[in-house]
Amino acid sequence: MSTLEPERGAGTGTLVEPTPQVSHGDGDHERFAHYVQKDKIMASALDGTPVVALCGKVWVPGRDPKKYPVCPMCKEIFESMGAGGDKDKGGKDGGKK
């Protein structure tokens, strides 16, 4: 029986969806504070939605970023944005799920 279709004659079925992984990589991302758009951090704080850092890490912030060093990849990307980058949107956050 497929989990996407109800069993014939039963009248009901269950749709089983995999839970998405919100953190990926080799674990090094867990040791750093990451750059994230400030408005995204605020939205995450209000509704618990995951954020995406400049380096690509996806997670729900929850820890004090001041306790962690800045992610070298985020820092490099942020600095490469230069004066043309949207600096008010670059927030530092070290939240971990």
Side-chain angles (χ1 to χ4, degrees), residues 29 31-35 65-66 68-72 74 92-95:
H29 291 291
R31 297 183 224 162
F32 297 111
H34 296 273
Y35 284 103
K66 294 174 185 158
Y68 300 90
V70 175
C71 168
C74 280
K92 181 175 130 176
D93 189 80

Side-chain angles (χ1 to χ4, degrees), residues 8-58:
R8 300 285 180 219
T12 61
T14 303
L15 176 63
V16 179
E17 294 183 25
T19 304
Q21 283 283 50
V22 293
S23 184
H24 52 80
D26 60 2
D28 279 347
H29 291 291
E30 302 298 326
R31 297 183 224 162
F32 297 111
H34 296 273
Y35 284 103
V36 175
Q37 289 181 336
K38 288 181 184 179
D39 60 331
K40 302 294 183 188
I41 294 170
M42 292 303 294
S44 178
L46 293 172
D47 59 22
T49 57
V51 295
V52 181
L54 290 178
C55 67
K57 176 184 165 71
V58 179

Side-chain angles (χ1 to χ4, degrees), residues 41 44-45 51 59-65 67-68 93-97:
I41 294 170
S44 178
V51 295
W59 84 111
V60 177
R63 296 196 179 177
D64 183 3
K67 295 181 179 181
Y68 300 90
D93 189 80
K96 291 181 14 178
K97 81 172 206 183

